[in-house]
Amino acid sequence: MKRYSIFSLVRNAVSHHKDWPKAWRSPDPKAEYDVVIVGGGGHGLATAYYLAKNHGITNVAVIEKGWLGGGNTGRNTTIIRSNYLWDESAHLYEHSLKLYEGLSQELNYNIMLSQRGVLNLAHNQHDLRELSRRISANRLNGIDSEFLTPADIKNMVPLMDVSPEARYPVMGASLQKRGGVARHDAVAWGYARAADDRGVDIIQQCEVTGILREGGAVTGVETTRGTIKAKKVALAVAGHTSMLAQMADVRLPITSHPLQAMVSEPVKPALDCVVMSNAVHGYISQSDRGEMVMGAGIDTMTGYTQRGALPVVEELQRAIVCLFPSFSRLRLMRQWGGIVDTCPDASPIVSKTPVGGLYVNGGWGTGGFKATPGSGWVYAHTIARDEAHELNAPFALERFTTGALIDEHGAAAVAH
Amino acid sequence: MTRQANRLGTDLVAGARIDRSKSIWFTFNGRRYEGHEGDTLASALVANDVQLVARSFKYHRPRGFFGAGAEDPCVMVQVGVGAETLPNLRATQVELYDGLVADSVNAWPSVNHDVGIVNDLMSRLLPAGFYYKTFMWPASWWTTYEHVIRNAAGMGVAPKQPDPDTYDHMHIHCDVLIVGGGPSGLAAALAAGRTGARVIIVDEQSEMGGSILASRLLVDDKPGAEWLASALAELGAMEEVRVMPRTTAFGHYDHNHMGLLERRTDHLGPGHDIARQRMWKVRAGQVIHAGGAIERSLVFAGNDRPGVMLASAAATYVNRWAARPGQKTVIFTNNDSAYGVAADLADAGISVQAIVDLRVEPGAAALEEASARNIEVLTASCVVETRGKRAVEGVTVMKLNDAGDGVVVGERRFDCGLVAVSGGWSPAVHLHCHAGGKVDYDEIQGCFVPGKTLEAARSVGAANGQLDLADCLTAGWQAGTNAAADTGFRKPGKVPKGPTATAVEVSPPRHVWIIPAKPGEENKVKRFVDLQNDVTDADVRLAAREGYRSVEHLKRYTTLGMGTDQGKTSNIPGLGILAAELEKSLPDVGTTTFRPPYTAITMGAIAGRYTGQMLEPVRRSPMHHWHENHGAAFEDVGQWKRPWYYPQDGEDMHAAVARECLAARNAIGILDATTLGKIDIQGPDASEFLNRIYTNAWSKLAVGRCRYGLMLSEDGMVMDDGVTSCISDNRYLMTTTSGNAASVMGWLEEWLQTEWPDLKVWCNSISEYWATLTISGPFARDLLAELCSDIDVSNDGLPFMSWREGTVAGAPARVFRISFTGEVSFEINVPASHGLGLWQALMTAGEKYGITPYGTEAMHVLRAEKGYIIVGQETDGTMTPYDLDMDWIVSKKKPDFIGKRSLGRADFLRDDRKQLVGLFTEDPLEVLPEGAQIVDDPNAPIPMPMIGHVTSSYLSANLGRSIALAVVKGGINRKGETVHLPLENGRTVRAEITGMVFYDPQGERLNG
Ligand SMILES: Cc1cc2nc3c(=O)[nH]c(=O)nc-3n(C[C@H](O)[C@H](O)[C@H](O)COP(=O)(O)OP(=O)(O)OC[C@H]3O[C@@H](n4cnc5c(N)ncnc54)[C@H](O)[C@@H]3O)c2cc1C
């Protein structure tokens, strides 16, 4: 791999940037791979990268029906944090955050991780109680987490309305300083380039239409570009997880909903951290380009159209204008939707399945971008060893039978 | 300075849409200028010869007017000051008003001398995506780099004060909604309107007319303006037709749900007391997209110099606003439409030096227009460079080779201040695509035209790829007729003819996506595709070479089309270049997705009035004002304001709560419990329904009796609780927790409607209908007896967990003998209108007993003393009835109830599940923080194993010590053991696990 740096930039400037190599190849699919990963989003690409790097498995294809990173990876609002309530989640997301902290250097691709801090607001006694519960748990789990008073919040976010007269006054917040945002496309592209460099075939414009099995184990996939044999097939298709699993007659407790996000026109810096609120339902951060990036809850109807309905936009804007009365005069520039895969307990599934050699990574719902490196890491382990890593063992499919759910609804504030 | 040096006289432009008799004064970048009524900020600046208006996003290159409307990518300005300031307005869309103050954005110290231009000097180092390749070393410096990048980015400045304006929402149905008030839209409106259908026609501009406003073509043999006036007069007279100028259709959502934004005061300036803007939500039977087409530019060397302008924009400035965008002009085109522009400019006295046409054979009619005015036409030619410093001063023209990828030697140089460019037209397919409409590629026009749609919608006129006025009028008329017919409106009799115009023969355009530079200069020049984000053809090609081959990758890697114009003029040229680089056809590379809004819309307008105090309605009980008058502090519980505690004479919360708690156990406490959810459940299957909803059995509950019930969700976790009473045969009154009232109602309805439609049960939320007053304490019965003569309130007459109907203090009442305090307690329900009267009567009669109002905080303490749970506090969606030590409430006999199946799962039988217990701190006055985590070994390394947390914690005045409820792993079997709580301040507190019932463990006080 030709390394990227300021020096390579200068060198290439001399040759008018004509000699940059391809970030990744566009190979034709081979007849057979050791592992076929379905889905070229961040999770699939990270999995391929760690399969090659951590486990030396390089005869791997990532099969993507559209363009890599074009699913939720390229549509999300990029909030990264690890201040989850339950130990199981906290350990997994914290592992992911740690990987994020070195990812630009690891991949030699600037993913623009911006640890500008994530605020979760409390608006009533119940919120405050839950907040201190989570802060206490985070602290004992070694995750940075602190309580801010309304005055602290005002200092940090001067344009926020923290007055006691507000309809739902801001009564406090938790702050994770190491939380923040990153550039979503760069995460997908960086993993793609690094995985490709280690020999992984990334095959775009190729849709998996069937999962081939023999005697209770997978043998490959059927695709729009022909049959591809594989010893192991690993799903990483987010909103389409239940559809793909169905192809192997595996039923999953996952429902798919549109989740919308939207941006304002770009303005000069006016908000330096990520703000999330549950009671005044919405979250917001400002991108490096200057846009206010905003989101809220899912569209309640299930569906696969990657767009949403107007009422959700209205609800979100009410919340944002409530929290930031001056942003009322900014203008909304673009709104879009992705399809999120939600589990009954709002936690993901990273697991083996009843079908031999078939693995599933899904159910990340509204919050899996922050998990991308960690998810790839443990999923690669699970595929390579045919057994879960200790971090994803609790996230096995069996939990829906045993009842050992990891319910993050109550404590996850807004779902990101 | 001459006033309006570039304003053309009436001798040159007769029909301009400005009122020259009305002067409007405004300020731009600190200087005062004059314009006229009817001007936009852009047209007035053009008339005043202001060319340099903005700077580009990345390289800070000078930018001038490029378009005349929504399509302009460059001319963003900050309008207004203070709380009223508006960032990023497009000068071409700002209507002029007296005193308007506007400034350039993204330039420092000024648009004329912008230091950001150093980026331009370094541009060789800053190709597309450069930031992905650098700023990585040393890792810790990214924060600094990012700070610099952030400050350089952004455009205008966000206001800092709350928005002083208000915004309204409107809801409306119509038969036919027409988007676009140009010739096709108006023809459609006339046709549909005459059938009597309810028609709405909207246009984003200040007046209806679209291209007619800037055209000299005849309609129905009349000048366009005359026809327009008569068409509008006719529409205005139609009762069912609503004509809405200044209204943007911003989004087409599923099922013809259309979003419109109407601007009501923006053209008047600040300080109006009507809503500034209104968002209309329309359900339309049929939608007609007639939003026109957007002209494209050509990608040639130096095409971003101020003075390079879309040909249609140049004609619009001249014809509509009598503003001269330049003196000497060169027209550069690939199609016939720019010849009309040449004619318009020439007739307005502008010297057209030449028409440079990429094609070998321009259309005959076009050539005739040029020769009639002695304008030289250079065919098979292209502009290879522009000259000038901050603005165009001249161009060089060379012959294009047959392949279109190089030039033939021999150059012509022209001096000119204006280059009017036309690269062809792209229909505005945006709205058509919002709701999933597909597009087809039109090879000849080189553009995408609307294809299949699932909506009841059609596209006509330029929006459908029809560029000839005559075609537009015919198509519009037909679409209006058909759309009305599709909604059931037909005009009887012979179908009349619609408006007409003379058709013009045109020759097809020639598509050359990259115009060659002068020989040997290919690597030196910059050819811009996206003028706002500074994306050049080299950037597009670099992205393709590096493997970013999908259009979406291209867009994201180069930022093409990601600016505030969303690529209205740049997307197609960008796709053309990408296709050429990949050696694919343009339709094979596809387009990026069109997303709402069509143009940016005010966030406050989307929020409407439902923000600030009106985010959600405040719910107050009928006794609210009494509580206020008696000094209550309130807390938010869902949408309700509930009295939290009632401080007296400088008491703090702690003292007030202690006093209230003591009163409830030693005298009488009175609580406003109105917020409890109440659901009236009726029907022959009501008891069966309750059996399925609750974990315990309901079949045998007699009329007049009450029972506590627990609800689980399907996963077996406790979801809500409350007391339900049997009112009469087949009729029950369910109470829910205050916070869950609505969600439980939704839950019941969901089961009834989707799973058990066979059950004959009806639910009705009656929470607000009743006021609920709870009196509690040793004298509660005495007090009630005084005010109620028709119910026997003795222990036998009204035993615990029963209810009676009667009269209390003259009000019709249902009296429930239930208790959340452990004392003798009555919940009196009266119609809401009687709530306050009864409250006052109880307070008066209760005075001698020392009746004391208590709030939610004391309520929490009192129930915790008794070990009663609060759903949402002791539970969090992960607690089973067994975890709460409430096995007794789970029926073993019932065949099924929601959650039953889950209760049998392996994980539910673990004995180290977190279970609800009590905690006593070693120091009896130590009050644990709620939420504090519990550990066995406080010296364990981080991550420290946690075994539970504190759910409720109070100082109990009745017990004279602190009490806490907590969940602890295997806690039920660990009573008497000591656990540790490492607090945030570094201190570790020790506590003993106890039972949950701290007060009156035998429950003797319940029966007084
Ligand atoms: C609007 C929105 C906002 C969000 N905000 C946040 C946030 O702030 N923070 C956060 O942490 N998370 C957020 N998320 C969630 C996050 O985006 C996802 O959880 C995460 O990106 C999932 O990554 P992935 O690689 O699993 O899925 P994706 O990126 O969706 O990749 C799955 C891929 O599978 C492909 N595929 C599907 N079917 C097939 C098939 N049959 N054959 C081949 N390929 C197929 C798809 O084309 C897609 O590219 C948000 C999501 C959305 C939609």
Side-chain angles (χ1 to χ4, degrees):
Chain A
M1 178 164 86
K2 279 205 189 157
R3 288 190 67 77
Y4 291 157
S5 69
I6 182 72
F7 306 110
S8 68
L9 210 52
V10 172
R11 219 175 314 116
N12 277 282
V14 178
S15 56
H16 302 281
H17 302 287
K18 296 263 154 71
D19 301 327
W20 286 109
K22 285 216 179 332
W24 48 78
R25 300 161 294 133
S26 300
D28 286 324
K30 293 195 273 190
E32 180 161 9
Y33 291 92
D34 291 341
V35 180
V36 160
I37 295 170
V38 189
H43 288 223
L45 294 164
T47 306
Y49 173 74
Y50 292 117
L51 270 177
K53 178 170 184 238
N54 294 0
H55 305 280
I57 301 174
T58 56
N59 186 22
V60 174
V62 177
I63 313 278
E64 167 55 51
K65 72 171 173 186
W67 37 283
L68 67 90
N72 293 347
T73 300
R75 296 163 192 268
N76 78 90
T77 44
T78 79
I79 297 171
I80 293 176
R81 62 186 180 90
S82 65
N83 57 351
Y84 277 68
L85 173 67
W86 300 108
D87 298 346
E88 297 87 344
S89 323
H91 296 322
L92 180 57
Y93 288 105
E94 176 63 10
H95 179 62
S96 195
L97 178 53
K98 289 218 172 90
L99 290 173
Y100 259 127
E101 287 174 327
L103 201 57
S104 291
Q105 289 71 28
E106 163 92 22
L107 300 178
N108 180 233
Y109 204 99
N110 189 353
I111 61 144
M112 300 181 206
L113 176 68
S114 174
Q115 294 180 292
R116 55 181 76 165
V118 174
L119 285 181
N120 291 90
L121 305 182
H123 295 271
N124 52 46
Q125 297 300 323
H126 178 263
D127 284 359
L128 281 175
R129 205 178 295 123
E130 290 304 316
L131 209 72
S132 53
R133 176 182 174 195
R134 188 157 48 77
I135 291 173
S136 170
N138 289 159
R139 219 165 22 87
L140 297 181
N141 268 326
I143 292 168
D144 76 299
S145 192
E146 54 196 275
F147 180 78
L148 298 193
T149 63
D152 301 333
I153 299 169
K154 188 80 194 166
N155 267 336
M156 204 171 153
V157 194
L159 294 182
M160 197 196 309
D161 179 7
V162 298
S163 61
E165 293 76 36
R167 174 68 185 89
Y168 295 118
V170 174
M171 302 176 73
S174 73
L175 166 65
Q176 181 176 27
K177 282 198 177 128
R178 288 163 61 236
V181 292
R183 177 95 189 104
H184 52 17
D185 293 328
V187 172
W189 299 343
Y191 272 121
R193 173 167 165 267
D196 174 90
D197 183 53
R198 287 176 184 265
V200 172
D201 281 357
I202 299 167
I203 297 155
Q204 302 184 64
Q205 307 291 342
C206 176
E207 179 169 356
V208 169
T209 52
I211 295 177
L212 304 172
R213 283 158 296 156
E214 239 167 59
V218 294
T219 57
V221 290
E222 208 67 78
T223 79
T224 48
R225 290 170 70 177
T227 305
I228 303 175
K229 293 216 164 292
K231 298 185 189 71
K232 296 180 175 180
V233 173
L235 307 181
V237 290
H240 294 84
T241 305
S242 53
M243 289 171 72
L244 268 285
Q246 191 73 60
M247 292 178 188
D249 296 321
V250 177
R251 278 192 73 196
L252 295 177
I254 288 182
T255 44
S256 293
H257 294 263
L259 174 67
Q260 302 193 52
M262 53 208 74
V263 292
S264 75
E265 293 184 326
V267 288
K268 292 289 173 195
L271 173 62
D272 291 332
C273 61
V274 181
V275 174
M276 309 171 63
S277 165
N278 205 12
V280 181
H281 199 80
Y283 60 88
I284 178 168
S285 69
Q286 189 174 16
S287 75
D288 283 347
R289 292 176 53 79
E291 301 132 341
M292 296 298 166
V293 182
M294 301 166 279
I298 53 175
D299 279 40
T300 45
M301 300 299 282
T302 53
Y304 289 100
T305 62
Q306 289 176 320
R307 58 179 189 266
L310 184 57
V312 178
V313 183
E314 291 175 46
E315 278 159 31
L316 171 58
Q317 291 308 323
R318 289 174 202 164
I320 298 298
V321 172
C322 243
L323 291 173
F324 296 92
S326 64
F327 291 178
S328 169
R329 293 177 90 78
L330 301 187
R331 296 193 298 176
L332 191 78
M333 184 168 83
R334 191 172 172 89
Q335 71 170 100
W336 64 88
I339 301 305
V340 296
D341 38 342
T342 60
C343 269
D345 59 353
S347 283
I349 302 169
V350 184
S351 178
K352 296 169 63 171
T353 68
V355 178
L358 179 68
Y359 304 87
V360 58
N361 173 335
W364 292 95
T366 59
F369 176 69
K370 65 177 76 66
T372 305
S375 157
W377 182 284
V378 299
Y379 198 32
H381 180 109
T382 309
I383 299 162
R385 310 260 182 98
D386 196 37
E387 110 195 328
H389 186 280
E390 59 173 355
L391 287 174
N392 67 308
F395 296 92
L397 201 45
E398 288 76 39
R399 75 175 189 273
F400 298 101
T401 331
T402 63
L405 304 179
I406 303 162
D407 196 313
E408 287 287 354
H409 281 117
V414 230
H416 296 270
Chain B
M1 194 195 73
T2 28
R3 274 160 56 166
Q4 308 196 43
N6 275 341
R7 186 72 76 182
L8 296 162
T10 38
D11 50 330
L12 293 170
V13 179
R17 317 279 304 176
I18 49 168
D19 185 344
R20 294 169 194 262
S21 68
K22 294 206 178 117
S23 282
I24 295 182
W25 287 92
F26 66 101
T27 308
F28 180 66
N29 284 339
R31 286 183 64 173
R32 257 166 66 82
Y33 297 97
E34 181 196 36
H36 290 304
E37 201 170 286
D39 262 328
T40 63
L41 176 57
S43 66
L45 287 173
V46 168
N48 281 288
D49 199 19
V50 177
Q51 251 186 338
L52 179 53
V53 202
R55 293 278 175 163
S56 62
F57 194 84
K58 182 169 162 191
Y59 298 144
H60 290 249
R61 289 169 67 100
R63 292 286 179 259
F65 297 106
F66 181 75
E71 77 287 1
D72 191 293
C74 302
V75 289
M76 272 182 288
V77 292
Q78 183 100 20
V79 173
V81 293
E84 255 134 11
T85 192
L86 290 161
N88 300 346
L89 297 192
R90 205 168 277 118
T92 51
Q93 294 185 293
V94 175
E95 289 181 53
L96 218 52
Y97 55 82
D98 239 322
L100 177 140
V101 178
D103 289 284
S104 299
V105 300
N106 201 31
W108 188 85
S110 77
V111 74
N112 288 315
H113 307 279
D114 178 12
V115 298
I117 194 79
V118 296
N119 287 2
D120 194 33
L121 304 177
M122 301 202 323
S123 61
R124 284 266 295 270
L125 283 177
L126 313 176
F130 73 97
Y131 30 75
Y132 297 121
K133 294 179 173 140
T134 182
F135 301 130
M136 285 180 283
W137 190 89
S140 60
W141 282 21
W142 167 243
T143 337
T144 315
Y145 296 134
E146 190 192 25
H147 185 74
V148 175
I149 291 172
R150 274 172 70 97
N151 280 308
M155 283 284 179
V157 179
K160 296 201 167 43
Q161 294 103 301
D163 189 345
D165 281 311
T166 54
Y167 304 88
D168 278 334
H169 280 188
M170 308 291 282
H171 300 257
I172 196 168
H173 289 259
C174 70
D175 298 306
V176 182
L177 173 69
I178 300 161
V179 178
S184 18
L186 289 169
L190 287 170
R194 284 183 199 169
T195 68
R198 293 168 304 169
V199 175
I200 299 177
I201 177 167
V202 303
D203 196 291
E204 60 174 351
Q205 302 203 39
S206 57
E207 48 178 333
M208 309 301 280
S211 59
I212 294 175
L213 299 171
S215 158
R216 298 189 297 163
L217 297 177
L218 304 182
V219 181
D220 278 349
D221 299 323
K222 290 184 260 190
E226 233 171 82
W227 178 78
L228 177 61
S230 65
L232 288 175
E234 184 181 344
L235 290 172
M238 292 178 181
E239 219 164 86
E240 296 293 349
V241 174
R242 185 186 288 271
V243 179
M244 299 178 68
R246 296 195 177 96
T247 303
T248 302
F250 63 81
H252 190 157
Y253 299 88
D254 287 348
H255 314 302
N256 275 357
H257 190 212
M258 302 287 295
L260 314 179
L261 187 79
E262 180 194 10
R263 298 179 307 279
R264 302 176 74 210
T265 68
D266 286 351
H267 60 293
L268 305 171
H272 293 269
D273 53 8
I274 58 169
R276 180 181 158 223
Q277 300 180 341
R278 291 205 281 218
M279 181 164 97
W280 292 70
K281 288 178 272 183
V282 186
R283 284 282 176 190
Q286 294 282 325
V287 173
I288 298 177
H289 291 301
I294 297 164
E295 197 170 22
R296 305 188 292 261
S297 182
L298 291 165
V299 182
F300 59 100
N303 65 346
D304 72 322
R305 278 212 168 80
V308 177
M309 183 183 283
L310 291 174
S312 58
T316 305
Y317 286 116
V318 169
N319 292 338
R320 180 164 173 189
W321 291 297
R324 181 174 50 207
Q327 187 46 279
K328 285 184 176 173
T329 300
V330 167
I331 309 264
F332 183 21
T333 185
N334 73 345
N335 68 85
D336 282 350
S337 69
Y339 286 74
V341 174
D344 288 350
L345 300 190
D347 295 352
I350 294 171
S351 134
V352 179
Q353 308 281 301
I355 299 177
V356 181
D357 195 325
L358 293 177
R359 297 171 301 173
V360 181
E361 261 182 83
L367 284 174
E368 211 164 289
E369 273 194 293
S371 74
R373 290 166 182 83
N374 279 326
I375 301 173
E376 184 181 4
V377 177
L378 302 167
T379 55
S381 297
C382 59
V383 172
V384 291
E385 69 173 5
T386 64
R387 294 187 300 276
K389 266 199 83 186
R390 292 236 179 89
V392 173
E393 288 160 18
V395 299
T396 306
V397 177
M398 294 181 81
K399 281 270 177 212
L400 192 63
N401 67 14
D402 290 347
D405 58 2
V407 285
V408 181
V409 280
E411 28 174 277
R412 294 272 307 270
R413 289 162 75 91
F414 296 91
D415 288 340
C416 61
L418 175 67
V419 184
V421 190
S422 180
W425 294 82
S426 307
V429 296
H430 306 65
L431 287 150
H432 161 81
C433 291
H434 286 173
K438 300 276 180 282
V439 289
D440 299 323
Y441 188 66
D442 178 335
E443 282 289 347
I444 294 176
Q445 296 298 331
C447 64
F448 289 99
V449 292
K452 263 211 201 103
T453 173
L454 297 172
E455 298 293 300
R458 62 198 91 210
S459 296
V460 292
N464 196 29
Q466 295 156 313
L467 297 175
D468 186 57
L469 177 61
D471 292 345
C472 288
L473 291 167
T474 316
W477 181 262
Q478 211 145 55
T481 311
N482 294 344
D486 288 348
T487 58
F489 289 87
R490 268 189 197 84
K491 208 165 151 57
K494 222 178 113 227
V495 181
K497 238 173 68 82
T500 56
T502 314
V504 185
E505 279 294 318
V506 294
S507 287
R510 176 181 184 187
H511 301 292
V512 178
W513 299 115
I514 302 179
I515 306 297
K518 276 167 107 171
E521 301 209 338
E522 277 295 332
N523 283 331
K524 287 189 205 142
V525 299
K526 280 205 183 80
R527 284 176 288 233
F528 286 86
V529 185
D530 183 326
L531 291 176
Q532 180 177 136
N533 281 344
D534 288 323
V535 180
T536 65
D537 70 306
D539 291 320
V540 175
R541 290 186 292 169
L542 172 65
R545 271 201 307 280
E546 286 196 87
Y548 302 90
R549 306 159 60 128
S550 124
V551 279
E552 287 287 349
H553 285 163
L554 170 74
K555 166 183 155 183
R556 288 147 183 263
Y557 194 64
T558 63
T559 72
L560 172 71
M562 280 172 63
T564 56
D565 60 317
Q566 293 283 291
K568 292 198 173 58
T569 57
S570 60
N571 278 343
I572 295 276
L575 295 177
I577 296 169
L578 177 67
E581 187 71 24
L582 298 178
E583 296 176 353
K584 283 188 181 178
S585 73
L586 198 146
D588 279 347
V589 302
T591 83
T592 52
T593 318
F594 295 93
R595 297 283 192 183
Y598 175 65
T599 50
I601 50 171
T602 310
M603 286 164 51
I606 308 172
R609 302 254 176 180
Y610 313 103
T611 183
Q613 287 303 321
M614 307 231 277
L615 175 69
E616 283 179 348
V618 177
R619 298 172 76 184
R620 301 180 179 92
S621 86
M623 292 79 91
H624 185 86
H625 293 296
W626 189 95
H627 305 317
E628 260 179 355
N629 293 338
H630 290 77
F634 290 90
E635 81 164 317
D636 287 309
V637 177
Q639 296 169 334
W640 293 94
K641 296 275 178 205
R642 294 196 73 176
W644 192 12
Y645 57 96
Y646 301 79
Q648 287 183 356
D649 314 325
E651 275 178 336
D652 61 5
M653 171 166 168
H654 169 71
V657 171
R659 176 178 47 73
E660 293 169 18
C661 285
L662 289 170
R665 297 228 184 274
N666 300 317
I668 304 178
I670 177 167
L671 173 80
D672 181 352
T674 302
T675 61
L676 276 185
K678 303 173 202 73
I679 301 172
D680 189 353
I681 300 175
Q682 300 190 37
D685 296 319
S687 67
E688 169 61 17
F689 181 56
L690 292 177
N691 271 334
R692 297 186 193 181
I693 290 288
Y694 282 124
T695 60
N696 46 346
W698 291 83
S699 313
K700 297 209 180 96
L701 188 70
V703 176
R705 300 293 299 181
C706 317
R707 183 167 292 168
Y708 174 78
L710 208 55
M711 257 178 227
L712 309 185
S713 46
E714 294 108 312
D715 63 4
M717 303 301 174
V718 172
M719 189 186 99
D720 202 58
D721 69 346
V723 169
T724 291
S725 309
C726 187
I727 300 295
S728 59
D729 283 345
N730 299 333
R731 181 168 188 193
Y732 295 85
L733 175 67
M734 173 186 280
T735 59
T736 73
T737 57
S738 302
N740 280 343
S743 57
V744 169
M745 180 71 191
W747 176 251
L748 300 185
E749 284 294 347
E750 182 177 342
W751 284 96
L752 280 175
Q753 292 179 29
T754 66
E755 303 295 326
W756 304 324
D758 53 312
L759 289 191
K760 290 196 171 53
V761 178
W762 293 270
C763 299
N764 199 358
S765 166
I766 52 167
S767 301
E768 281 92 346
Y769 181 77
W770 297 95
T772 305
L773 300 80
T774 304
I775 49 173
S776 204
F779 303 110
R781 182 179 288 127
D782 300 332
L783 172 60
L784 182 59
E786 264 181 50
L787 296 179
C788 171
S789 52
D790 54 359
I791 303 177
D792 171 7
V793 299
S794 72
N795 205 25
D796 295 334
L798 184 56
F800 182 54
M801 295 310 262
S802 63
W803 78 277
R804 295 288 177 275
E805 190 147 9
T807 315
V808 181
R814 289 171 173 176
V815 180
F816 298 82
R817 170 88 191 280
I818 50 187
S819 177
F820 198 40
T821 57
E823 301 295 321
V824 170
S825 171
F826 301 90
E827 265 183 35
I828 310 167
N829 281 8
V830 291
S833 55
H834 287 281
L836 181 58
L838 177 59
W839 183 278
Q840 285 167 331
L842 288 165
M843 286 305 296
T844 309
E847 205 180 333
K848 53 183 172 295
Y849 301 109
I851 191 169
T852 302
Y854 66 97
T856 50
E857 188 65 18
M859 173 186 86
H860 282 199
V861 179
L862 292 165
R863 63 86 207 181
E865 289 170 349
K866 291 293 300 170
Y868 298 149
I869 63 160
I870 288 188
V871 168
Q873 185 157 346
E874 271 63 54
T875 72
D876 58 359
T878 70
M879 299 298 285
T880 70
Y882 310 133
D883 299 340
L884 298 170
D885 210 5
M886 290 172 78
D887 309 33
W888 53 271
I889 204 170
V890 183
S891 162
K892 311 270 172 324
K893 294 197 201 110
K894 282 199 300 186
D896 205 3
F897 54 86
I898 297 171
K900 181 179 166 84
R901 179 162 158 266
S902 293
L903 289 180
R905 295 186 293 182
D907 201 67
F908 286 57
L909 310 173
R910 274 193 296 122
D911 46 18
D912 66 340
R913 287 185 64 87
K914 288 182 184 161
Q915 296 162 335
L916 188 63
V917 294
L919 287 186
F920 270 156
T921 47
E922 270 188 351
D923 169 0
L925 293 182
E926 169 99 41
V927 182
L928 291 166
E930 289 174 347
Q933 294 288 325
I934 302 168
V935 303
D936 272 327
D937 176 7
N939 299 315
I942 300 283
M944 190 184 289
M946 290 168 259
I947 57 168
H949 75 280
V950 175
T951 59
S952 298
S953 171
Y954 314 96
L955 193 62
S956 159
N958 285 303
L959 293 159
R961 64 153 301 143
S962 71
I963 55 170
L965 296 174
V967 295
V968 175
K969 278 189 181 168
I972 293 175
N973 293 321
R974 293 187 58 182
K975 299 207 175 116
E977 291 181 28
T978 299
V979 290
H980 304 262
L981 296 104
L983 302 185
E984 200 158 356
N985 56 18
R987 230 159 38 88
T988 297
V989 178
R990 289 156 59 89
E992 184 195 319
I993 301 179
T994 68
M996 285 183 286
V997 188
F998 301 101
Y999 188 81
D1000 182 26
Q1002 307 309 323
E1004 285 153 1
R1005 302 178 64 91
L1006 256 184
N1007 293 315

